[in-house]
Amino acid sequence: MKSVIDILDLSVEELDDMIKTAIDISAHPDRYADRCRGKKLATLFFEPSTRTRLSFEAAMYELGGNVIGFSEANSSSASKGESVADTAKIVSCYADIIAMRHPKEGAPYVAAINASIPVINAGDGGHHHPTQTLADLLTVYRERGRLNDLTIGIVGDLKYGRTVHSLINAMARYNGNKFVLVSPPELKLPDYVKNDVGDKAEFIETSDLMEYMDKFDILYMTRIQRERFADRDEYNRLKDSYILTPDKLTTAKKDMRILHPLPRVNEISVKVDDDDRACYFKQALNGKLMRMALILHLLELNDGKKFPAIKGESGYVCKNPTCITSTEQELENAFKKGKDGVYRCIYCDKRAD
Ligand code: NCD
């Protein structure tokens, strides 16, 4: 069974094929209008969403399928204390594929190893968001004609921004990409993301948005993730770290493209929206096309076998308060050794210490 919990669950060939399918869907929507007739997508959203949930639902409807689900934890049995594992087993009786968003890191993975249908991670805490990356990849490909040899500036909350983690893991697999990571020191990219990438890509870190503005092919803006901060004062201090305005774009390349997973708070002025380089609204449309391609791909591959559990070693307890093991006491703590020799939790990737 194929589930997509991490963007690394998809090979580069699969990503390239999905991009081709998405472009074909866009050109010939009628050819796809019945492809999921009789199939059901369950959207299990334990956290707020506009684009991801609605684009998943629109994707399934445009494939001729149906949708069931919930858009907040309070309207599901999670509010009565039902575990993610049990929820996944139950929904497997009613649907053909699951898209799950959850505030706890590792929750969609727990769903995947317990479900008998494919599970798609629609965002888990500050960890991964692989389907936003699919939207990002199609946008870069359509706008720049390639996914390699690009200088990509990624700006904002690189610590909690799950879209950033998945994007870096995906783009690092295409040759010649360079990442300029722009964030306040407090919101730097977690080391587990760099560990996954290894020496496949070059990273430059800075806190100055303007330092490399003239070098970027892609400028990926993100919001500071208010809901992930334990300390409200720290959020207030950092929330306006970067605000993109038209005057900041004067040194940027004419063919640079500005992406943002959205929602924006105030990190991109609305005055930038009229700039030809702004493509965040097209990106949202691309998200629906890639989710259609992903649903088709996963339903075709469904062989009825379980998604494989990661083999980990016991002996440590995960101390991350946003790990799924913090609320689901019956989950066994397990850790795996990374390329850098550090043990990390198999659910949330936080270091064992
Ligand atoms: C992102 C998310 O949920 O992580 N939104 C989205 O899915 N497009 C980005 C964000 O919330 O900042």
Side-chain angles (χ1 to χ4, degrees), residues 209-210 213-214 216 219 221 244-254 256-258 268-269 271-273 275-278 280:
L209 171 60
M210 298 312 292
M213 185 58 94
D214 59 340
F216 298 145
L219 174 58
M221 299 293 297
L244 190 66
T245 47
D247 57 300
K248 298 210 173 91
L249 288 166
T250 49
T251 58
K253 292 183 182 174
K254 293 282 166 279
M256 183 186 85
R257 288 293 178 270
I258 307 163
I268 302 183
S269 156
K271 295 197 190 87
V272 174
D273 296 0
D275 190 302
D276 289 341
R277 291 169 284 194
Y280 24 93

Side-chain angles (χ1 to χ4, degrees), residues 4-9 47 52 100-109 120-133 159-170 190 192-193 196 228 310 336 345-350:
V4 176
I5 303 308
D6 184 326
I7 194 71
L8 299 176
D9 292 323
E47 224 190 24
T52 305
M100 174 184 278
R101 170 169 287 192
H102 202 287
K104 295 286 177 180
E105 289 143 23
Y109 165 69
I120 303 169
N121 178 3
D124 62 326
H127 193 210
H128 292 310
H129 192 348
T131 66
Q132 178 60 46
T133 300
K159 178 178 180 189
Y160 299 117
R162 55 195 176 193
T163 67
V164 170
H165 307 158
S166 298
L167 177 67
I168 291 175
N169 270 322
Y192 73 82
V193 182
D196 281 346
R228 314 256 178 248
I310 302 167
K336 64 176 189 294
C345 173
I346 62 162
Y347 302 96
C348 71
D349 280 303
K350 292 285 159 20

